């Protein structure tokens, strides 16, 4: 095989990685441009809507006054297709083409106008909800894109501070979204490629020099590209702010002149309050006189640009990684192994595909979810809008307040992660200890050769394992019932007090522990029994000849021979017990007060009782992390997988 | 499925044209209804659907029974993606969650005219009203009432004083006999006491939780008093109550229609209204009611027809079938004048009880109340925490989980 050319490899890497980065960057840039343009259009339309709403409100919000206000306003507002004012089942005013003659407002809403009525109800509810929660959760100003390309907007009509209806406005089709030219992005690939051509001539096949040069050229080119893009988008955002301010000025003078011609008192509405977000909170970018508030605008530009900058940085890092992977030959090697072991890859392909769909996709989704604030209120929104970064992890891991000192002792906060973790570890250690000890003991007994009816015992002892564990759990829960459970009845028979098992964390824990011990010993027994039977009898014979006691033989022969079988079994059983959802959920249900919750049941409760999906996902990722660390650690120190 | 049917239809249509056959006047509109019924209820709704299809040419109502456990999740997953039914029937407690999630339940406020509004027992319509907008038509209600063993109790108690006196007489703890048994450690069952005092989970018309309102604490205080009288079994659960009642060891129980099927055939039982509470100024116990509403799926393409069917289902003819054959308690109040329905002691008992019942909150926030409320009830029932402290703790917890959920 000929030696691969480092030069060509780096050149190919540079072109491919550069191309990828340029393609991604173009995508991000044109998204940002479209968003800035669309936001600007929406804001301008919202200003118009709010202006006419204030005019309708000052005209009394109903009757001929409102209709005259609509007509007067629309005469001076080009680009508006129709305007409707609805209150309850009544259409108060409308400039829609069909609403003339017999259909003219005021009239009752027709069947096909149900969406208008529903919209009014929805907006009124949104206003009340936001007010009650003193925040912004539901849109008070609704914006929808129409199939025609225009916008349909609706805002509440307030009288005396209460929403009584809505004003709905439909705009003419918006101008097409600006397209982003390709040439700067192409240049960002071609220029470093050409420069690298020069380097190639000078540096020959020196790999380190080539790597540094290629990386530097690509990084520099992408840096320049993103600086330019960011500056451009920032400039467009400033222009959008200026055009919104212009719209505010236009509307202010329109409302003024319409008020005069209609004989209305000068509107008390402040034009600065027309440029609002969906929750009707002024954005503050435009002042009352229609001028731009520079500090607020720059903050908004900053926000817009930071978002874009981050995406571009990610694209650049991806490209650099790709460049090095190709340049240093990793891809080449991968290609070669695929070629050499073609058959093997074909065989695992179906399994790999299955894993992708059934394991990796949900797994990635869960991890992504853990970085969001997804909950019952916002399942409709895309995850990107709910991004909160590491907040969930901070909330889980950063809360150390698991105990509070009060008079005469401590009060534990059972919802705290560290309490649950502590309990979870304690639960696992005790369970596995009991399981291994009892399983091993029973295996030793069953291994006695002279034992009569040995197969019968064996079957009986495996039965607990063969039963579905939720049935076992429910039966045990019944047996622990305070009044009617058999355990308390036995207690009372021998003169003891009945115990209220699920009333105290410790007794509740004992109940769960007993149930799980019942479930876990058969597995350990079966594993140990198999291993015991494979120990050659002559070892014991030799020991006996050497005069070893039974205990010595057990320590020196039995235990070491059991090790290869027992250690993986213990590892498995630790993982199972750590996540033993059924027993905890069904037997103690966390009683009392969530004190016997383990991590996995706690995560379940966060997801399906408190409806905080993102938080629960983060919880699950933490559990995964703990088990991963445990698994790696355990493997390394026991060398179990090699045995 | 739909597209395959469409394609089949198109092929048939083309064949018909080729053969010169006359075209059908109009395509049949299909309305798919999902319900979680079994046995008699399933047969009843199928009968209503068939009756509607028969009397409305061009419309075909198909019903599909979906297992109850999976029902709500299936609705949440399928409907917003435009895959589910046109109409679905479910209890009102999930309504708020579906509305908050969006694109699931179509508001029907607009369709509701006065005669339709007036046909229902008012509180059942309130149950399917979310923040001022009606989202479905109430089909039936379920409510807790007093069920007693006629062998042990001749006249059911009408006041709490009589209740305690009768129960005390019939209690023999050593023999495991109790005068009164109900799942008092469950918030749903307990609510009847709390509501009698004017208690509530949310401040009226808002989603502001008030679990520790003074009235709620009074309800808990009364429960503690009853426990201390020794008339109630410890650690109650539905399984325990069923066993006690069927063995004749519980004289009176508070439970709902779902229990009737569990009663052993040899037990002769009667139904009566829950007693009034002397402690609450002789106000009646006011149980929570759960109302099954028929909702129209927001993405449905046949909303008008779907609403028409739902209207039919809750009208006299539909309600009559659901009552007499499905053994439901319809929300339609006119049906109780029907001689056959009026003669039914069970339906009559629930109809009387529902007069004082309160719709269980349908707010999405209610899901966050259950867990703290359960802990509150457990600690009060076991006498480990005084009522006021337990209620304060539950309130604090609900507020905390709400603020975490609403945090920006």
């Amino acid at each position: 095989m000929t030696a691969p050319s480092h030069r060509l490899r780096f050149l190919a890497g540079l072109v491919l990685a550069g191309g990828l980065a340029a393609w991604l960057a173009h995508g991000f840039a044109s998204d940002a441009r479209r968003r800035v343009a669309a936001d600007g259009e929406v804001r301008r339309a919202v200003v118009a809507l709010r202006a006419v709403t204030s005019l309708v409100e000052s005209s009394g919000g109903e009757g001929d006054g409102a209709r005259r206000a609509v007509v007067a306003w629309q005469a001076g507002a080009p680009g508006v297709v129709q305007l409707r004012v609805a209150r309850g089942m009544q259409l108060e005013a409308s400039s829609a083409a069909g609403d003339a003659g017999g259909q003219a407002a005021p009239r009752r809403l027709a069947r096909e106008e149900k969406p208008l009525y529903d919209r009014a109800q929805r907006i009124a509810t949104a206003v009340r909800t936001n007010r009650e929660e003193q925040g912004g959760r539901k849109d008070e100003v609704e914006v929808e894109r129409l199939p025609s390309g225009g916008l349909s907007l609706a805002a509440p009509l307030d009288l005396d501070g209460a929403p009584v209806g809505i004003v709905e406005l439909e705009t003419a089709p918006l101008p097409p979204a600006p397209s982003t030219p390709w040439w700067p992005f192409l240049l960002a690939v071609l220029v470093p490629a050409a420069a690298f051509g020069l380097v190639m001539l000078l540096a020959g096949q020196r790999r380190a020099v080539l790597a540094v040069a290629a990386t530097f050229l690509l990084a520099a080119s992408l840096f320049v590209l993103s600086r330019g893009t960011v500056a451009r988008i920032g400039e467009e955002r400033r222009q959008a702010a200026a055009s919104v301010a212009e719209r505010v000025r236009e509307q202010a003078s329109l409302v003024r002149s319409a008020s005069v011609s209609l004989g209305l008192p000068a509107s008390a509405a402040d034009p600065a309050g027309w440029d609002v977000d969906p929750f009707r909170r002024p954005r503050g970018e435009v002042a009352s006189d229609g001028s731009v508030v520079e500090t607020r605008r720059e903050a908004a530009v900053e926000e817009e640009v930071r978002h874009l900058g981050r995406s571009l940085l990610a694209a650049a890092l991806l490209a650099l990684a790709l460049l090095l992977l190709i340049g240093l030959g990793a891809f080449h090697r991968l290609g070669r192994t695929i070629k050499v072991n073609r058959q093997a890859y074909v065989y695992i392909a179906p399994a790999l595909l299955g894993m992708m769909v059934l394991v990796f996709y949900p797994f990635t989704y869960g991890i992504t979810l853990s970085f969001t604030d997804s909950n019952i209120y916002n399942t409709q929104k895309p995850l990107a809008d709910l991004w909160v970064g590491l907040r969930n992890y901070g909330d889980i891991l950063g809360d150390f307040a698991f105990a509070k000192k009060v008079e005469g002792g401590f009060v534990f906060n059972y919802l705290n992660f560290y309490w649950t973790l502590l309990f979870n570890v304690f639960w696992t250690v005790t369970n596995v200890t009991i399981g291994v000890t009892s399983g091993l003991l029973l295996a030793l007994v069953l291994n006695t050769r002279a034992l009569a009816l040995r197969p019968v015992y064996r079957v009986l002892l495996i039965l607990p394992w063969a039963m579905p564990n939720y049935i076992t759990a429910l039966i045990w829960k019944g047996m622990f019932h305070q009044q009617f459970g058999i355990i308390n009845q036995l207690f009372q028979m021998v003169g003891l007090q009945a115990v209220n098992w699920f009333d105290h964390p410790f007794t509740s824990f004992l109940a769960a522990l007993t149930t799980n011990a019942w479930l876990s010993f058969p597995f350990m027994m079966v594993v140990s029994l198999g291993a015991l039977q494979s120990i050659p009898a002559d070892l014991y014979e030799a020991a006996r000849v050497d005069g070893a006691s039974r205990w010595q033989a057990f320590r020196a022969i039995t235990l070491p021979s059991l090790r290869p079988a027992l250690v993986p079994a213990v590892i498995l059983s630790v993982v199972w017990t750590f996540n033993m959802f059924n027993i905890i959920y069904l037997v103690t249900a966390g009683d009392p007060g969530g004190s016997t919750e383990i991590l996995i049941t706690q995560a379940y409760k966060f997801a399906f009782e408190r409806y905080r999906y993102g938080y629960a996902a983060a919880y699950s990722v933490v559990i995964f992390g703990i088990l991963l660390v445990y698994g790696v650690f355990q493997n390394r120190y026991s060398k179990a997988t090699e045995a | 499925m739909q597209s395959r049917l469409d394609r089949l239809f198109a092929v048939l249509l083309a064949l018909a044209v080729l053969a010169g056959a006359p075209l059908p006047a109009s395509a049949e509109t299909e309305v798919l209804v999902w319900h979680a019924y079994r046995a008699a209820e399933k047969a009843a709704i199928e009968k209503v659907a068939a009756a509607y299809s028969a009397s409305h040419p061009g419309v075909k109502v198909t019903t599909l029974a979906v297992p109850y456990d999976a029902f709500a999740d299936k609705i949440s997953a399928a409907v917003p993606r435009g895959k589910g039914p046109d109409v679905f029937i479910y209890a009102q407690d999930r309504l708020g969650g579906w509305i908050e999630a969006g694109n699931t339940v179509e508001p029907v406020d607009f369709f509701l005219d006065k005669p339709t509004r007036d046909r229902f027992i008012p509180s059942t319509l309130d149950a399917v009203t979310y923040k001022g907008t009606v989202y479905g038509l109430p089909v039936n209600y379920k409510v807790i009432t007093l069920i007693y063993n006629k062998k042990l109790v001749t006249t059911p108690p009408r006041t709490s004083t009589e209740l305690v006196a009768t129960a005390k007489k019939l209690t023999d703890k050593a023999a495991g006999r109790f005068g009164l048994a109900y799942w008092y450690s469950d918030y749903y069952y307990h609510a009847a006491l709390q509501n009698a005092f004017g208690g509530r989970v949310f401040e009226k018309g808002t989603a502001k939780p008030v679990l520790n309102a003074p009235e709620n604490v009074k309800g808990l205080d009364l429960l503690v008093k009853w426990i201390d009288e020794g008339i109630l079994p410890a650690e109650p659960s539905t399984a325990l109550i069923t066993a006690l009642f069927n063995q004749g060891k519980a004289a009176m129980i508070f439970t709902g229609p779902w229990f009737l099927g569990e009663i052993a055939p040899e037990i002769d039982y009667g139904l009566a209204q829950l007693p009034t509470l002397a402690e609450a100024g002789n106000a009646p116990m006011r149980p929570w009611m759960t109302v099954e509403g028929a909702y129209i799926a927001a993405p449905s393409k046949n909303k008008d027809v779907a609403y028409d069917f739902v209207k039919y289902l809750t009208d006299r003819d539909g309600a009559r079938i659901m009552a007499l054959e499905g053994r439901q308690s319809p929300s339609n109040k006119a049906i109780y004048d029907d001689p056959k329905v009026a003669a039914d002691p069970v339906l009559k008992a629930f109809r009387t009880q529902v007069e004082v019942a309160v719709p269980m909150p349908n707010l999405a926030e209610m899901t966050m109340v259950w867990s703290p409320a359960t802990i509150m009830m457990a600690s009060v029932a076991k006498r480990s925490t005084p009522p006021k402290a337990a209620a304060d703790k539950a309130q604090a917890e609900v507020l905390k989980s709400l603020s975490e959920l609403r945090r920006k």
Side-chain angles (χ1 to χ4, degrees):
Chain A
M1 205 184 229
T2 55
S5 159
H6 294 305
R7 290 196 297 194
L8 286 182
R9 223 183 248 166
F10 274 109
L11 184 62
L14 190 61
V15 171
L16 283 177
L20 175 75
W23 180 70
L24 285 174
H26 183 264
F28 292 141
S30 51
D31 270 0
R33 282 190 80 171
R34 267 202 296 272
R35 194 173 51 237
V36 166
D39 282 356
E41 289 295 345
V42 167
R43 280 172 65 191
R44 283 154 56 88
V46 167
V47 168
L49 174 65
R50 296 273 297 155
V52 66
T53 305
S54 77
L55 195 62
V56 172
E57 280 167 2
S58 68
S59 73
E62 61 183 339
D64 290 333
R67 281 185 286 283
R68 275 202 300 274
V70 166
V71 172
W73 179 81
Q74 199 165 2
V80 173
V81 174
Q82 63 170 51
L83 190 69
R84 294 191 289 181
V85 180
R87 292 181 64 165
M89 288 297 255
Q90 185 84 354
L91 185 69
E92 280 298 332
S94 168
S95 65
D99 292 340
Q103 286 294 306
R107 60 172 171 82
R108 206 182 140 83
L109 290 174
R111 165 65 189 92
E112 60 278 6
E113 284 161 328
K114 179 170 187 284
L116 185 65
Y117 176 83
D118 288 346
R119 203 173 200 185
Q121 292 282 85
R122 198 163 56 227
I123 286 179
T125 306
V127 173
R128 281 197 299 267
T129 305
N130 288 346
R131 225 171 257 171
E132 185 190 312
E133 293 175 9
Q134 293 172 354
R137 180 158 72 78
K138 313 206 112 199
D139 287 1
E140 296 179 17
V141 178
E142 287 192 355
V143 180
E144 255 171 54
R145 222 164 227 285
L146 296 170
S148 69
L151 294 173
S152 166
L153 301 96
L157 178 66
D158 280 353
L159 285 184
D160 305 323
V164 296
I166 55 166
V167 180
E168 193 197 57
L169 179 152
E170 202 178 307
T171 70
L174 302 180
S179 65
T180 311
W182 271 103
W183 62 266
F185 299 90
L186 276 180
L187 272 187
V189 185
L190 296 178
V191 169
F196 188 72
L198 285 178
V199 176
M200 269 162 57
L201 294 179
L202 299 172
Q205 288 288 8
R206 276 176 295 174
R207 198 167 148 179
V209 176
L210 287 168
V212 169
T215 312
F216 174 76
L217 283 171
L218 184 62
S221 141
L222 292 178
F223 179 72
V224 172
L225 178 71
S226 64
R227 280 298 288 266
T229 310
V230 160
R232 227 200 130 110
I233 301 290
E235 195 39 52
E236 276 170 18
R237 179 67 180 74
R238 285 187 194 97
Q239 279 169 15
S243 81
V244 171
E246 194 194 322
R247 174 61 63 91
V248 170
R249 289 194 299 274
E250 273 168 37
Q251 288 293 331
S253 80
L254 177 58
V255 167
R256 252 195 319 274
S257 65
S259 297
V260 170
S261 72
L262 292 168
L264 295 174
S267 171
D270 178 6
W274 290 346
D275 177 31
V276 290
D277 68 3
F279 312 120
R280 279 203 298 170
R281 292 182 298 210
R283 291 174 195 265
E285 272 183 63
V286 182
S288 299
D289 62 350
S291 62
V292 173
V293 181
E294 308 236 333
T295 46
R296 294 298 290 267
R297 184 200 61 195
E298 284 311 304
V301 170
E302 189 84 357
E303 176 76 17
E304 184 71 50
V305 158
R306 192 170 46 218
H307 191 71
L308 176 66
R310 230 181 279 154
S311 312
L312 291 174
L313 181 67
L317 290 177
L318 189 69
L320 288 176
L322 183 66
L323 167 70
L324 290 176
L325 279 176
I326 296 177
L328 297 175
F331 269 36
H332 180 73
R333 280 194 293 277
L334 182 67
R336 210 167 45 199
T337 56
I338 288 181
K339 213 161 137 193
V340 171
N341 304 311
R342 202 180 310 141
Q343 215 171 17
Y345 281 103
V346 170
Y347 286 150
I348 65 164
L352 197 65
L353 203 71
M355 295 272 285
M356 289 268 187
V357 177
L358 299 174
V359 179
F360 298 132
Y361 171 70
F363 188 78
T364 324
Y365 185 80
I367 290 182
T368 316
L369 199 63
S370 73
F371 294 107
T372 69
D373 183 33
S374 173
N375 61 47
I376 190 170
Y377 292 137
N378 56 28
T379 38
Q380 291 285 72
K381 290 188 191 155
L383 289 184
D385 289 2
L386 307 172
W387 205 257
V388 291
L390 290 170
R391 193 183 79 186
N392 288 332
Y393 292 95
D395 286 356
I396 293 169
L397 300 175
D399 178 15
F400 293 101
F402 69 93
K404 202 170 69 186
K405 201 169 153 59
V406 292
E407 232 172 295
F410 286 97
V411 172
F412 290 103
N413 173 15
Y414 297 136
L415 274 180
N416 181 278
F417 171 76
Y418 292 102
W419 165 268
T420 315
L421 177 65
L422 201 73
F423 179 78
N424 207 156
V425 169
F426 185 60
W427 156 258
T428 311
V429 170
T430 46
N431 265 303
V432 174
T433 313
I434 291 178
V436 170
T437 321
S438 52
L440 187 58
L441 275 176
L442 285 169
L444 286 171
V445 172
L446 281 183
N447 201 32
T448 318
R449 209 145 295 199
L451 199 64
L453 296 177
R454 202 156 58 136
V456 176
Y457 298 140
R458 204 150 74 187
V459 169
L460 283 180
L461 285 171
I462 291 176
L463 270 185
W465 194 32
M467 266 216 316
N469 63 8
Y470 54 93
I471 292 178
T472 315
L474 289 175
I475 291 174
W476 276 95
K477 169 139 183 122
M479 295 206 286
F480 281 111
H481 190 277
Q482 191 206 0
Q483 210 162 8
F484 304 91
I486 189 162
I487 293 172
N488 274 349
Q489 294 193 344
L490 285 177
F491 274 30
Q492 281 165 331
M493 239 187 263
V494 295
L496 288 171
Q497 273 287 317
V499 179
N500 202 344
W501 290 95
F502 303 109
D503 222 11
H504 190 273
F506 184 68
T507 50
S508 186
F509 163 71
L510 279 185
L513 185 68
T514 315
T515 312
N516 201 46
W518 171 257
L519 279 168
S520 59
F521 78 81
F523 171 69
M524 283 299 166
M525 187 190 79
V526 170
V527 170
S528 318
L529 195 57
L532 280 177
Q533 285 170 349
S534 68
I535 303 175
D538 36 350
L539 283 181
Y540 291 107
E541 241 165 69
R544 215 170 26 245
V545 170
D546 288 347
S549 68
R550 288 189 77 142
W551 174 241
Q552 278 172 323
F554 177 74
R555 297 238 354 233
I557 301 170
T558 316
L559 274 187
S561 321
L562 283 177
R563 212 178 105 110
L566 267 187
V567 168
V570 168
I571 294 177
L572 268 183
S573 125
V574 164
V575 174
W576 287 342
T577 315
F578 198 86
N579 280 344
M580 187 45 90
F581 183 86
N582 285 357
I583 304 302
I584 295 291
Y585 188 74
L586 295 174
V587 177
T588 78
D591 277 348
S595 58
T596 55
E597 216 77 76
I598 57 172
L599 292 170
I600 193 78
T601 55
Q602 195 75 278
Y604 175 86
K605 290 202 165 164
F606 274 116
F608 300 106
E609 274 178 12
R610 295 187 178 80
Y611 292 92
R612 299 172 67 196
Y613 308 130
Y615 189 84
Y619 223 88
S620 318
V621 173
V622 171
I623 300 174
F624 169 72
I626 292 170
L627 287 177
L628 185 72
V629 168
Y630 161 79
V632 169
F633 184 83
Q634 179 84 330
N635 260 351
R636 182 146 318 152
Y637 286 91
S638 66
K639 298 242 183 332
T641 42
E642 290 163 34
Chain B
M1 190 63 199
Q2 192 59 52
S3 74
R4 202 182 297 164
L5 278 179
D6 284 353
R7 213 173 301 153
L8 187 72
F9 192 69
V11 170
L12 286 177
L13 210 63
L15 284 176
V17 170
L18 284 177
L23 286 171
S26 68
E28 201 170 59
T29 315
E30 197 182 319
V31 174
L32 178 60
V33 181
W34 278 14
H35 60 84
Y37 295 146
R38 289 184 306 164
E41 286 183 301
K42 180 166 180 264
I45 189 131
E46 280 166 2
K47 195 169 170 191
V48 175
Y52 182 84
S53 305
S55 58
H56 293 73
V59 179
K60 185 166 187 289
V61 178
T62 325
T63 60
L64 179 71
V66 176
Y68 179 81
D69 314 350
F71 197 93
D73 290 339
K74 279 205 165 140
I75 291 292
S76 309
V79 173
R81 289 163 190 79
K83 294 263 194 256
D86 298 296
V87 173
F88 56 99
I89 300 171
Y90 199 75
Q92 94 272 22
D93 56 334
R94 290 295 289 261
L95 189 59
W98 283 328
I99 294 166
E100 292 291 343
N103 199 27
T104 312
V105 188
E106 176 79 10
V108 297
D109 221 79
F110 184 84
F111 293 126
L112 261 186
D113 45 13
K114 190 152 164 40
T116 315
R117 219 176 255 277
D118 288 344
R119 81 156 69 132
F120 298 110
I121 299 166
S123 51
T124 62
L125 193 62
D126 289 347
V128 290
T129 305
Y130 185 75
K131 300 196 172 173
T133 304
V134 180
Y135 277 87
L137 295 189
V139 179
N140 63 59
Y141 58 84
K142 292 194 179 76
V143 71
I144 290 171
T145 194
L146 172 68
I147 296 182
Y148 59 97
N149 188 329
K150 280 189 173 165
K151 218 188 263 170
L152 302 172
V153 181
T154 40
T155 38
R158 287 209 308 277
T159 67
S160 55
T161 327
E162 283 174 37
L163 175 82
V164 172
T166 316
K168 255 193 168 159
K169 235 176 15 215
L170 294 165
T171 302
D172 177 4
K173 262 197 164 170
R177 295 178 172 284
F178 296 93
L180 176 64
Y182 72 103
W183 195 6
Y184 57 86
S185 61
D186 185 85
Y187 196 48
Y188 180 80
Y189 285 81
H190 172 73
L193 263 74
Q194 160 191 311
N195 296 342
F197 288 93
R200 62 234 173 253
V201 178
F202 296 102
E203 209 54 272
K204 197 171 161 39
T206 71
K208 199 175 141 236
V210 281
L211 272 178
N212 58 351
E215 295 84 357
N216 295 10
V217 177
K218 279 186 201 155
L220 290 172
D221 284 335
L222 179 59
L223 172 63
V224 166
K225 199 176 131 198
W226 284 0
I227 295 173
D228 290 350
E229 297 275 4
I231 51 176
L232 291 162
E235 276 193 73
S237 67
T238 42
L240 174 68
I241 308 294
T242 315
L244 286 176
F245 193 71
N246 281 344
Q247 291 162 10
K249 287 184 173 173
M252 295 176 282
I253 55 175
F254 298 158
T255 188
W258 52 86
F259 188 78
L260 298 176
E262 309 266 332
I263 301 177
E266 67 271 18
I267 300 284
D268 183 17
Y269 66 91
L271 287 86
Q273 219 186 324
L274 293 173
T276 56
L277 299 182
E279 292 81 355
N282 290 322
M285 282 177 77
R286 300 174 67 123
W288 266 344
M289 68 165 114
T290 43
V291 171
E292 278 188 332
Y295 315 105
I296 298 171
S300 165
K301 294 200 175 59
N302 305 314
K303 286 177 195 161
D304 290 276
V305 186
Y307 178 73
D308 198 51
F309 170 70
V310 168
K311 220 170 125 181
Y312 178 84
L313 172 66
T314 53
D315 206 350
R316 251 194 113 91
D317 296 344
R320 191 161 187 276
I321 297 175
M322 294 312 284
L324 294 175
E325 293 176 34
R327 304 300 306 149
Q328 293 188 343
S329 296
S331 317
N332 186 320
K333 53 186 177 195
I335 198 67
Y336 295 93
D337 302 334
D338 183 287
K340 259 184 139 175
V341 175
D344 189 314
V346 172
L347 293 178
K348 206 174 151 203
F350 287 120
R351 175 68 185 95
T352 321
Q353 186 65 63
V354 80
E355 276 302 309
V356 293
V358 185
M360 191 168 75
N362 59 12
L363 296 163
E365 287 80 358
M366 188 64 193
T367 49
M368 268 147 271
V369 171
W370 287 116
S371 170
T374 305
I375 293 172
M376 166 181 88
M377 292 312 297
S379 57
V380 170
K382 286 168 184 162
R383 306 288 281 107
S384 60
T385 318
K388 175 85 174 94
D392 285 343
K393 191 159 170 260
Q395 168 74 2
E397 248 177 76
V398 175
L399 284 181
K400 184 162 172 276
S401 46
L402 272 182
S403 70
E404 279 165 350
L405 192 64
R406 287 177 182 160
R407 180 168 55 162
K408 277 289 136 299

